[in-house]
Amino acid sequence: MDIALLVYMELQLEPADPDFYKIGFVRSVRAYGIQFKEGPDGFGVFASKDVEPLRRARVIMEIPLELMVTISQKLPWMFFPDIVPVGHPIFDIINSTNPEVAICCFLNSLFLWQTDWDLRLACLLLYAFDREDNFWQLYSDFLPSVEECTSLLLATEEDLLELQDQSLTSVMRGQQRRALEFWEKNWHSAVPLKVKRLARNSERFIWAVAMAQSRSINLQMRMGALVQDANMFIPYADMLNHSFQPNCFFHWRFKDRMIEVMINAGQRIKKGDEVQINLPT
């Protein structure tokens, strides 16, 4: 399916689906003055027309909450939308992660403190792929495959040996071992089929962790009176490439429960220019 058609397509749920009543209705993604295509840095988002500078920021994308995959960063784990049914074993796996454990990662001359957020988000992503009529079953076609993924998490030992940075090599070996051990612990032969089919081999799970590390964002959401930090997969917005000199930013529109991608006030963008963002960490 052409991606332009998918952007404007409304996700259809059958009335028999309990989420139909939980959500009430499903809204489609809206995009204004942009196009998705292959660029010099991979797939990205580009202006389809000239954008003149204005005093106020302008919206170029609107992505509703029900199309996202999100989980809170702190206990108690909360999912929006709440797609995990009570008693499903994937929740036990997510709940087994330790939010207090931090791993020091040396990457590009920066020390990064990483908790198990990526393992939790990877589990939730795999569950979304398996859930009947879930939007991510369709959207998964636009994620890079295991073969296409450039994350060093999926690098072979030969690939790691070719790296010039020995500190980075050591960190990535540790990251690979961490993801593998988590899969071995939770995807053993005795697990129920509903869990086993999510990641029948370690490569599938490590790929999901790579997606969490490379395509998710951390953002603060307000849900009524509740304000919380969340790790989020946001479809279409995840195609925005990172820049330290971005021309757009994310905005959480809490009344409508949606993410807006907005062009910076006073920003001029020419047709064909890439729309980039400084991804929250």
Side-chain angles (χ1 to χ4, degrees):
M1 178 181 295
D2 185 86
I3 193 168
L5 296 177
L6 184 55
V7 170
Y8 291 101
M9 166 179 122
E10 182 168 330
L11 177 64
Q12 300 295 324
L13 294 181
E14 294 297 326
D17 190 325
D19 275 354
F20 181 87
Y21 301 102
K22 186 183 298 183
I23 296 173
F25 63 94
V26 177
R27 298 164 290 174
S28 60
V29 174
R30 291 187 173 89
Y32 310 98
I34 58 173
Q35 56 184 334
F36 305 88
K37 64 179 184 179
E38 193 78 23
D41 299 319
F43 217 78
V45 183
F46 296 82
S48 60
K49 61 182 180 181
D50 292 341
V51 177
E52 297 300 323
L54 295 178
R55 291 186 177 181
R56 299 181 62 181
R58 72 183 72 186
V59 177
I60 57 172
M61 266 197 281
E62 296 174 326
I63 304 103
L65 177 65
E66 58 263 23
L67 299 188
M68 304 178 200
V69 174
T70 77
I71 183 172
S72 58
Q73 293 183 9
K74 298 179 180 179
L75 285 168
W77 308 128
M78 301 182 70
F79 317 112
F80 293 106
D82 188 2
I83 62 174
V84 182
V86 176
H88 194 285
I90 196 64
F91 181 79
D92 294 330
I93 295 176
I94 291 173
N95 204 40
S96 71
T97 60
N98 190 340
E100 303 302 325
V101 173
I103 301 171
C104 188
C105 302
F106 183 83
L107 188 59
N108 294 333
S109 302
L110 294 175
F111 281 96
L112 305 176
W113 289 93
Q114 181 180 38
T115 63
D116 284 349
W117 69 269
D118 53 343
L119 303 179
R120 293 188 286 273
L121 197 57
C123 290
L124 200 56
L125 179 65
L126 292 171
Y127 174 75
F129 290 154
D130 186 65
R131 186 175 172 83
E132 187 176 355
D133 293 326
N134 188 275
F135 172 82
W136 283 81
Q137 285 189 329
L138 185 62
Y139 189 71
S140 64
D141 290 343
F142 297 101
L143 299 180
S145 65
V146 170
E147 293 74 21
E148 297 168 333
C149 183
T150 58
S151 171
L152 290 176
L153 272 178
L154 291 164
T156 64
E157 181 61 24
E158 290 74 19
D159 293 333
L160 292 178
L161 288 174
E162 292 179 1
L163 295 177
Q164 300 299 314
D165 190 331
Q166 294 305 308
S167 296
L168 176 58
T169 301
S170 177
V171 166
M172 294 316 303
R173 285 196 184 110
Q175 287 286 293
Q176 289 177 336
R177 183 168 58 251
R178 166 177 169 261
L180 177 60
E181 289 175 352
F182 186 82
W183 177 82
E184 291 174 339
K185 175 184 175 182
N186 295 288
W187 270 266
H188 51 81
S189 58
V191 299
L193 178 59
K194 63 173 67 175
V195 169
K196 186 178 297 185
R197 68 190 184 205
L198 302 183
R200 293 185 180 275
N201 55 61
S202 59
E203 188 178 57
R204 175 68 169 173
F205 180 75
I206 295 173
W207 171 85
V209 176
M211 291 298 99
Q213 292 185 2
S214 63
R215 299 184 74 91
S216 68
I217 70 162
N218 307 330
L219 201 65
Q220 190 173 83
M221 296 192 304
R222 175 180 169 188
M223 308 288 289
L226 176 66
V227 177
Q228 69 168 335
D229 295 314
N231 302 116
M232 313 169 71
F233 279 114
I234 307 176
Y236 305 106
D238 65 354
M239 296 184 189
L240 291 161
N241 286 316
H242 171 77
S243 173
F244 288 112
Q245 295 181 315
N247 48 26
C248 69
F249 63 95
F250 290 126
H251 174 253
W252 173 251
R253 198 164 85 203
F254 74 93
K255 289 184 178 179
D256 299 313
R257 295 190 176 191
M258 67 169 52
I259 287 286
E260 295 177 321
V261 180
M262 307 186 75
I263 293 178
N264 295 331
Q267 185 81 52
R268 182 189 300 275
I269 301 177
K270 295 181 180 180
K271 180 179 179 179
D273 285 352
E274 185 171 8
V275 181
Q276 298 176 317
I277 197 162
N278 190 345
L279 296 172
T281 58

